[in-house]
Each structure stands twice: as structure tokens, then as C-alpha cells.
Amino acid sequence: MTRSQRWVSFLILSMTCGIIYQVAYIRFVFLGPTAQALALSSQDYANIVSVFGVVAMVMYFFGGWFADKFRPKALVVTALVGTGLADLYLGTVPGYWGILAAHVLMAVMGMGLYWAALVKAIGMLGDSSEQGRLFGFLEGVRGVTSTIVGFVGTAVVAASVAEAAGVLWLIRIYGILCFVYAALVWLFVRGDEKRLAHLGSSTLTLRQLGRAARNKYTWLIGGTVMLMYCFYTTLGYFSPLLEHQYGMAAALIGVIGVVRTYVFQFVAGPAGGVVVDKVTRSTPRFLRWMFAGCAAVALVFLVLPRDSAFTWVALGLMFALCLLVFASRGVYWAQVGEVEVPEGERGGVIGLASGLAYLPDAFLPTVCAWWIGDPAATPAVPEHGGGYTTLFLFLLAMAVLGLWLTTLTVRVRRRELAAAAAPDTPRVVPATA
């Protein structure tokens, strides 16, 4: 490949990452309007999203097998086409079971076929000295693409007579974009087969998973990411909080959702990496500070009166939480290399830890929908089990557990380094008679 072909391939592949997951995670920007657009109650939509999370978690383990058996380019194209079909099918409002089937298909396409194939496709665009730069720019291009598409989507919804109708058009537009990018990948993306052969296997074997299960860092890292992911999963539920309890104008909710979901992605992520490298020099230590900040935000939300006089205070708190969460997301997998997990075990550790880490997607949407109810429904669905108070108590508990786990990781690693640095104890040979 020429240099220009490599950069064209890289940019197109990176931009697909900002397109393919838009509908699957549209709730982060348009939670209530999406449920209305699909003619679902907020609880039914949350249940479907939870099923999506379960299937996505299972598909993560199969992604490496697909990436090893088929060409990455073909998998990326197939995943984009499959996701586009699912999006367009959703745009017909096919009823509960049809919407559920579309979300299952999106999970299979996005996590089973697409993600591992994308990692391989990006990896073969550079040699070993360029991998960090490639994947760093991948996240940046993905964030910029998601932000642009998100703001355009907000404009589409705002221009519609009804938000629900605008969301339906937006889902269809995202489906068409998936087809457009599938064509671009097929026509313009090039691969280096020699470099692809040197990337090694992505398949997780039972032996790797067994060794990972015996590694303490699998559970320390997986647990840490899971606890922070609880905050990420619940960010979408701040939209109805701001609108219905703090009186935020409905027209601003979509814009705020884009900023919360995408702008912080490419601003806070790199910032977190810089702080780890230049200040804390330890990812677990940095994450400990992030959990402390999350605990403080959750605690303030617990005592803050839910009144329109505090609208901008609540918005500022939510943005502070976004900064903490996305700064953490940018670095938490760096722990695998930092604690020196052996190269041969890293695939298993990351695989098993990821299964644990993204577990909140399988249950939190359903639970959160039950807690907060749906004041926009007709008739309105009330809060259950303590509502937002219970949600913030839950997040406070997750933050405290995160503080404990990151402190434990720091101490375990410190003991390992101290043991490695200690001189060998001289062996005492008993004197002979």
C-alpha cells in the first residue's frame, strides 16, 4: 500500500466506528423519544436494551474467532450491511418482537463480526511501532465522527414536528449511512496481508480463559472497569432527570446528550492518558481519584433539591461526572500492560475481564427504567423503589467499591514490585560437626 492508501483506509475504517453503534446506543442521546418512536413503554425498551447487552457480552468472546477465520474487510462490510438492515427494519416500527430481533442482530453484527475485525484491520495498517498512534487516532476520529453525526441528528429531531417522528427518520438515516460506509470500505480500504499474518490469533481458547481465571488481576481490573461502567451506562438516564425534575428545556436535552456522550469521549479520554503519564504515573491510582470524584458527585445529587432553581447546578454536576467517566474510559485497559500481565495471557485476561466489565449493560437499563419511571408516558409511569434517590445511592456504593478495588490493586502491585526488587535472602547452610 502507498501512504495515501493507508491513510484513506484508516480514516474510512475509523469513521465506521462512529456510525455502526449509533442506533444501538441512541438511548444515550434520545432516551424517551426513542421509546415513543418505537411505540414501546420505557420499561419494554429498557428490557430490549438489556437483552442487547447480554448478546453483545456473549458475542465479544466469538469476535476473535470470526476475525481469525475471515478477512477483516469482509467482516466489516458484512457488519455494516447487517446493521444497516437492522436500522431500516427498526424504522418500520415492527413491534416488540421485531425490535428485539433487530437489537439482537445489531449485537451480533457490532460485537461478533465488527469489533475484532476492525482491530485487526487497523492493526495491519502499521508496524509494531505505529500501533499506539493508530489506535489513539482511531478513538479520536471515532469521537469526532460521532459528534458531527450526533449534532446533525439533533438538528433532524429538532426540525421535526414531533420528536418521536424525528427519531424514526434519524434511525433510517443511520441505516443508510451504514450502507454508504459499507460501500466505501469495499471500494477503498486496502489491507497488508503480510502484516495481517503477523498480528497473531485473536481467538480466545478455553485454556486461555482458565489461566485468566486464576490471575488475580483479571478480577481486579474487570471489577474496576465494571464499577466505572455502571456510571457510563446510567448517563443516559440523566436526560429525564434534567428535563422532568430540574425543568431543563426539552429542546436542549438532545444537544446536551450529544455533548455528554460524544464530545467528552474525545476530550476527556486523551486528557486522562496525559494525567496518568505525567502526574499519577499509575492507572489504578488515577482511577482511585476518579472514583472519589464520582462518589462526591453522587453524594451531592442525593442532597441537591430537585427544583428548577438548581437546573444549572445539576447540569454542571452531570458534566463533571462525564469528565470523570470518560477520562477513566480512556485509560482503564492500560492496567493490563502496567501490571505486566504476561503477553501470552493478555488475551484471556482482557477477554474474561471484559465479560465482567460490561455486565452492567445486561441488567442496569431494566433496573434504571423501573426506578425512574416515565413521566412523559400517558398515563405517566411513577418512580419505583426509591426512584433517582435509589439510583444515586447505587452509584455511590459503586464508587466506594471502586475506591476499595483500586486501592487493593495499588497495594498488590506495590508488594509485587517490592518483592521483585528485594535481594535474594542468603541461604544459611548448617555447620557440620
Side-chain angles (χ1 to χ4, degrees):
M1 284 188 295
T2 64
R3 183 178 180 84
S4 60
Q5 285 176 327
R6 284 206 307 157
W7 277 108
V8 168
S9 298
F10 172 79
L11 287 173
I12 292 174
L13 287 170
S14 299
M15 291 172 74
T16 65
C17 208
I19 298 295
I20 193 169
Y21 296 117
Q22 287 292 331
V23 174
Y25 292 100
I26 197 172
R27 69 185 187 277
F28 283 93
V29 181
F30 302 107
L31 179 62
T34 302
Q36 294 169 20
L38 297 176
L40 296 171
S41 70
S42 59
Q43 188 66 62
D44 283 342
Y45 180 51
N47 294 342
I48 287 173
V49 169
S50 290
V51 172
F52 168 87
V54 172
V55 177
M57 186 173 60
V58 173
M59 283 296 106
Y60 180 87
F61 292 99
F62 289 94
W65 182 86
F66 283 113
D68 287 344
K69 295 294 182 183
F70 304 98
R71 292 179 61 208
K73 177 178 172 178
L75 287 174
V76 170
V77 170
T78 302
L80 285 165
V81 170
T83 302
L85 289 172
D87 293 349
L88 293 179
Y89 180 59
L90 273 180
T92 67
V93 193
Y96 181 88
W97 293 107
I99 295 168
L100 178 63
H103 277 76
V104 169
L105 179 60
M106 285 191 289
V108 173
M109 294 292 112
M111 281 66 177
L113 269 62
Y114 176 80
W115 182 248
L118 177 74
V119 170
K120 275 210 163 183
I122 293 292
M124 69 180 177
L125 294 176
D127 57 30
S128 59
S129 65
E130 298 175 296
Q131 296 301 301
R133 192 185 322 156
L134 283 171
F135 283 98
F137 278 109
L138 166 66
E139 192 64 22
V141 174
R142 174 187 183 178
V144 171
T145 304
S146 298
T147 301
I148 294 172
V149 171
F151 277 124
V152 171
T154 302
V156 170
V157 174
S160 302
V161 176
E163 278 190 326
V167 168
L168 276 183
W169 275 109
L170 189 56
I171 289 172
R172 295 166 188 149
I173 290 169
Y174 288 151
I176 293 169
L177 282 175
C178 283
F179 285 109
V180 170
Y181 274 93
L184 290 174
V185 171
W186 184 257
L187 293 172
F188 297 109
V189 169
R190 299 289 181 268
D192 189 328
E193 298 300 328
K194 291 182 180 178
R195 283 181 179 155
L196 179 61
H198 284 84
L199 290 177
S201 174
S202 302
T203 304
L204 286 175
T205 65
L206 290 177
R207 179 175 295 180
Q208 285 177 310
L209 291 176
R211 291 170 66 185
R214 295 190 294 272
N215 189 318
K216 57 185 175 294
Y217 286 117
T218 299
W219 307 103
L220 289 171
I221 294 172
T224 298
V225 179
M226 181 191 71
L227 294 169
M228 186 58 74
Y229 199 73
C230 288
F231 284 88
Y232 174 73
T233 303
T234 55
L235 285 178
Y237 295 93
F238 282 75
S239 291
L241 173 70
L242 291 173
E243 182 178 359
H244 299 294
Q245 301 206 16
Y246 285 101
M248 177 72 70
L252 291 177
I253 294 298
V255 176
I256 290 169
V258 172
V259 174
R260 178 185 61 215
T261 307
Y262 301 126
V263 174
F264 279 97
Q265 181 181 45
F266 68 86
V267 172
V274 171
V275 173
V276 169
D277 288 344
K278 304 294 184 181
V279 182
T280 65
R281 301 187 185 279
S282 164
T283 302
R285 192 173 294 121
F286 171 77
L287 291 174
R288 184 167 57 184
W289 283 108
M290 296 301 99
F291 276 117
C294 289
V297 171
L299 187 59
V300 174
F301 264 119
L302 274 173
V303 300
L304 185 70
R306 292 178 196 152
D307 185 271
S308 58
F310 297 92
T311 300
W312 298 106
V313 177
L315 181 63
L317 285 169
M318 186 197 71
F319 280 158
L321 187 62
C322 290
L323 182 65
L324 297 167
V325 170
F326 281 99
S328 301
R329 275 171 58 87
V331 302
Y332 48 44
W333 289 114
Q335 294 179 95
V336 175
E338 191 174 305
V339 300
E340 297 179 326
V341 173
E343 288 283 353
E345 296 181 23
R346 288 189 184 184
V349 168
I350 292 174
L352 189 55
S354 295
L356 175 63
Y358 301 123
L359 188 61
D361 264 347
F363 70 90
L364 260 187
T366 292
V367 175
C368 285
W370 185 76
W371 278 336
I372 71 172
D374 186 4
T378 305
V381 179
E383 293 182 348
H384 300 93
Y388 275 103
T389 299
T390 303
L391 174 60
F392 289 123
L393 283 171
F394 169 78
L395 291 178
L396 179 60
M398 296 302 99
V400 171
L401 284 173
L403 277 167
W404 173 70
L405 264 189
T406 48
T407 300
L408 183 60
T409 305
V410 168
R411 291 177 178 175
V412 167
R413 183 60 181 158
R414 186 183 297 151
R415 284 198 297 267
E416 286 184 346
L417 292 174
D424 293 335
T425 304
R427 184 181 176 188
V428 178
V429 180
T432 57

